[in-house]
Amino acid sequence: MQDRGYAFFNHTADIGIRAEASTLEELFIRMAQGLTELLVEDSPLQPREARSIELTADDAASLLLKWLQELLFWFATERFAPIRYVLTEVTPTSLRGTVRGERFDPARHQQGREVKAITRHLLRAEPCEDGWVGEVIVDI
Amino acid sequence: MERGWTGTLEKIDDYRWRIPTSYARGMRVPGLIFTDEKLLADITTDQALQQVANVAHLPGIVKASLAMPDIHWGYGFPIGGVAAVDATDGVVSPGGVGYDINCGVRLVRTELTVEEVQPKLRTLIAALFNDIPCGVGMSGEIRVSKQDADRIMTQGARWVVKEGYGIAEDIEHTESRGCLDEADPSKVSSRAFQRGHDQLGTLGSGNHFLEVQAVETIYDEATATQLGLVQDHVAVMIHSGSRGFGYQICDDYLDVTERAMAKYGIHVPDRQLACAPLRSEEGQAYLGAMRCAANYAWANRQCLMQLMRLTFERVFGKPWHAIGLQLVYDVAHNIAKFERHTVDGRERTVCVHRKGATRSFPAGHPEVPEAYRSVGQPVIIPGDMGRHSYVLVGTPTAMEETFGSCCHGAGRVMSRAEAVRTASGRSIERELEQQGIIVMGRGRKGVAEEQPSAYKDVNDVVRVVHNAGLAKRVARLRPLGVIKG
């Protein structure tokens, strides 16, 4: 695992994001940071706007999918790129918190990939020896 | 992460391989792969063939789970796969169409020669790059009200032509005349509307492109003439789809069909093969929404083409029709459609899923535009930006063996990370420029990821479909300039 807390892995036409963390909350944040890097590379982002989020799902993997789908939807519709996360509640079936970030600005930010979707292909979020591990493949 | 496939594969002839139904319990039909020894070596490096076998489990699938020579590992379905299911007891699978519903290609001919265009090439590519919205965070110039959105979803390219983006002849030269019937906007989520409302007339990113090309080789003079293709003339190819609108519809219905599988007791080996009976409420809802996205995509490519025509007018100082910018044809390569095909000696209606596969209907078929009825439907196959693209025509063999389908492109062989790594320290733009190809792209990594060596050689892929008889080569084009998102 790299210092930034997440890593990318290969899938022929697309890109996978993988992270490990001691808590589920940290796992979700790291996976979100991985997605953000795909969208805007290492652009400097400011926590100018806040959005609240509340999700429920049947299991941790489905919750991870919904979490990343929501962040992608914000970026796709309003160009909102997240940088700071305060998750007040994260269980394998529910998530609640606040996400701060700012709108993508071509003058100040670097364009990354156009992520079409967060796929269910090889999706996982499960306990491991040191906490939690998650993997997701995004469609480019 | 990736590992090779070592399942059962029987060679039928030089271009056909079979995965027998005995390979996995639950396979309803065999897998049939169109390839040759050379391309097979790439295909077996990942799990694409396992996906061919998995698709063979779909309820109602007839004849075979088919794969084209450009097949690669997808989600649930392989990319480069074709599956036809019985119209009465079959299922429809959003994964069998893909996220980019009606992603497709159109080719526009011109009366301009390469010699005439060459001095203005850089100006032309820069003007196209400036005029055609592409890349992340770009909105289209075309504003769509809720009422307009309904018309785009139900009338597709026909509506944007009525609004002035093109001419009636463009519609005649578009697959399904640019519109699928029975599109149902009430089955489209508000999230899909939100993702699609400002993206009409935008190219997108990733492997989407607009390319100015030269007609380099003619294989069949009479057919080329019929299609308006002349050696050393310039043509323009556009590759795009239904943008965020289609991606969201696919995503929405992966959830719906996953729940439907439990409801209808359907078991498939992979979660991403989620499907619903064609006649179920869920299946009908997906079809209604999918057709909206297909129509949006045809409207999108029609708008992109018209923007391109206006740029040519400005750069060459003549009306676009005076320089012969006529649409040769527009094909979909991610779609599900009801068609009549002969299965086991009996003609019947099937729902054909083409996921990274192009329709390839023969001469005489009523779906082929009148202007091309004597030669067959044009099949447009884009390659990578450093090599070639092809125009072929459909054949009776495709009708008999593949539900009138053929390959859709070169197919990736290298992951994006690998591509970026091999491009490190190099400028792909400069290398292509040395070959006389001007490339303009927005993302830092986009061009590196789409470099020619990340793809199979389209010449190999097209050789297989031509030799197997799934389509007949007409002309080969080479890139002069490319814009990418």
Side-chain angles (χ1 to χ4, degrees), chain B residues 105-159:
Chain B
V105 199
R106 64 172 53 194
L107 182 72
V108 181
R109 65 180 293 278
T110 79
E111 291 291 340
L112 298 164
T113 64
V114 175
E115 214 177 9
E116 284 171 285
V117 170
Q118 207 75 57
K120 288 186 173 167
L121 187 60
R122 185 165 293 279
T123 311
L124 175 66
I125 299 299
L128 288 166
F129 190 56
N130 182 62
D131 296 352
I132 292 176
C134 54
V136 175
M138 288 297 286
S139 301
E141 308 244 314
I142 305 158
R143 292 285 149 204
V144 177
S145 69
K146 173 74 182 73
Q147 206 176 26
D148 293 344
D150 271 11
R151 293 186 180 120
I152 290 161
M153 287 186 278
T154 53
Q155 298 173 40
R158 295 175 198 174
W159 186 74

Side-chain angles (χ1 to χ4, degrees), chain B residues 375-390:
Chain B
V375 294
Q377 173 221 306
V379 173
I380 299 157
I381 307 297
D384 61 74
M385 59 187 166
R387 282 179 287 214
H388 300 102
S389 294
Y390 279 88

Side-chain angles (χ1 to χ4, degrees), chain A residues 43-76:
Chain A
S43 300
L45 297 168
Q46 300 298 323
R48 293 177 208 266
E49 284 179 40
R51 289 169 188 228
S52 51
I53 185 163
E54 203 176 328
L55 300 169
T56 57
D58 294 341
D59 53 48
S62 303
L63 189 65
L64 175 63
L65 178 71
K66 279 195 175 175
W67 161 243
L68 297 176
Q69 280 176 334
E70 199 61 28
L71 297 176
L72 175 62
F73 183 73
W74 287 347
F75 186 77

Side-chain angles (χ1 to χ4, degrees), chain A residues 111, chain B residues 125 128-129 132-136 203-211 239 383-385 412 416 432 438-443 445-451 455 481-485:
Chain A
Q111 168 187 322
Chain B
I125 299 299
L128 288 166
F129 190 56
I132 292 176
C134 54
V136 175
L203 191 59
S205 186
N207 64 353
H208 294 154
F209 64 79
L210 181 148
E211 197 167 286
H239 180 206
D384 61 74
M385 59 187 166
R412 277 193 91 89
R416 290 178 186 272
L432 287 165
I438 297 168
V439 182
M440 293 188 188
R442 298 220 183 261
K445 290 183 175 152
V447 173
E449 289 180 354
E450 295 294 325
Q451 65 180 287
Y455 285 88
V482 189
I483 70 165
K484 297 202 69 85

Side-chain angles (χ1 to χ4, degrees), chain B residues 84-359:
Chain B
V85 298
D86 187 86
T88 40
D89 58 14
V91 291
V92 65
S93 171
V97 173
Y99 285 104
D100 196 355
I101 296 166
N102 190 5
C103 184
V105 199
R106 64 172 53 194
L107 182 72
V108 181
R109 65 180 293 278
T110 79
E111 291 291 340
L112 298 164
T113 64
V114 175
E115 214 177 9
E116 284 171 285
V117 170
Q118 207 75 57
K120 288 186 173 167
L121 187 60
R122 185 165 293 279
T123 311
L124 175 66
I125 299 299
L128 288 166
F129 190 56
N130 182 62
D131 296 352
I132 292 176
C134 54
V136 175
M138 288 297 286
S139 301
E141 308 244 314
I142 305 158
R143 292 285 149 204
V144 177
S145 69
K146 173 74 182 73
Q147 206 176 26
D148 293 344
D150 271 11
R151 293 186 180 120
I152 290 161
M153 287 186 278
T154 53
Q155 298 173 40
R158 295 175 198 174
W159 186 74
V160 292
V161 165
K162 271 186 237 157
E163 290 297 294
Y165 293 90
I167 55 171
E169 193 193 300
D170 299 338
I171 298 301
E172 296 304 319
H173 289 189
T174 302
E175 181 173 330
S176 297
R177 303 183 69 247
C179 175
L180 293 183
D181 292 339
E182 296 179 61
D184 185 351
S186 75
K187 303 301 178 203
V188 174
S189 70
S190 66
R191 283 167 83 90
F193 281 117
Q194 286 175 63
R195 282 184 76 171
H197 83 280
D198 66 347
Q199 291 196 316
L200 192 70
T202 66
L203 191 59
S205 186
N207 64 353
H208 294 154
F209 64 79
L210 181 148
E211 197 167 286
V212 177
Q213 305 173 329
V215 179
E216 184 192 68
T217 311
I218 301 278
Y219 300 95
D220 176 343
E221 196 68 51
T223 305
T225 304
Q226 195 79 22
L227 306 187
L229 297 172
V230 180
Q231 189 158 4
D232 294 326
H233 275 208
V234 165
V236 183
M237 190 174 277
I238 297 171
H239 180 206
S240 188
S242 49
R243 315 289 293 107
F245 184 69
Y247 314 157
Q248 188 64 44
I249 287 174
C250 177
D251 227 350
D252 292 341
Y253 280 94
L254 281 168
D255 278 343
V256 170
T257 49
E258 201 172 309
R259 288 194 299 272
M261 287 210 295
K263 179 173 163 187
Y264 298 104
I266 298 170
H267 299 283
V268 290
D270 180 347
R271 192 177 172 190
Q272 293 243 129
L273 280 179
C275 55
L278 279 166
R279 291 191 157 178
S280 68
E281 194 190 328
E282 295 86 348
Q284 287 296 312
Y286 171 67
L287 286 169
M290 187 269 302
R291 290 169 181 140
C292 290
N295 293 342
Y296 181 103
W298 273 312
N300 187 38
R301 289 197 291 276
Q302 180 69 32
C303 291
L304 289 167
M305 175 176 73
Q306 200 58 23
L307 292 173
M308 175 276 288
R309 281 170 166 166
L310 299 178
T311 302
F312 267 73
E313 279 195 355
R314 240 190 26 256
V315 172
F316 293 95
K318 286 181 193 167
W320 63 263
H321 44 85
I323 41 181
L325 282 163
Q326 290 159 333
L327 177 59
V328 175
Y329 203 60
D330 176 300
V331 286
H333 56 222
N334 279 358
I335 204 158
K337 292 166 94 174
F338 286 93
E339 295 172 358
R340 298 286 289 171
H341 288 280
T342 305
V343 182
D344 303 327
R346 188 166 64 86
E347 196 184 281
R348 58 207 263 199
T349 302
V350 290
C351 177
V352 184
H353 297 70
R354 295 192 181 93
K355 165 79 175 286
T358 313
R359 200 182 68 174

Side-chain angles (χ1 to χ4, degrees), chain A residues 9-14 41-42 69-70 73 75 79 110-111 113-114 116-117 119-121 139, chain B residues 2 46 73 75 99 136 191 195 198 205 243 247 251 254-255 272 412 415-417 442 444 449:
Chain A
F9 63 90
N10 294 331
H11 186 274
T12 320
D14 300 298
E41 303 210 349
D42 53 1
Q69 280 176 334
E70 199 61 28
F73 183 73
F75 186 77
R79 326 288 179 225
Q110 174 65 36
Q111 168 187 322
R113 278 71 159 206
E114 184 180 52
K116 289 180 185 162
T119 79
R120 293 146 180 82
H121 186 57
D139 192 88
Chain B
E2 296 182 13
D46 61 28
W73 199 16
Y75 312 115
Y99 285 104
V136 175
R191 283 167 83 90
R195 282 184 76 171
D198 66 347
S205 186
R243 315 289 293 107
Y247 314 157
D251 227 350
L254 281 168
D255 278 343
Q272 293 243 129
R412 277 193 91 89
S415 72
R416 290 178 186 272
R442 298 220 183 261
R444 198 158 34 181
E449 289 180 354

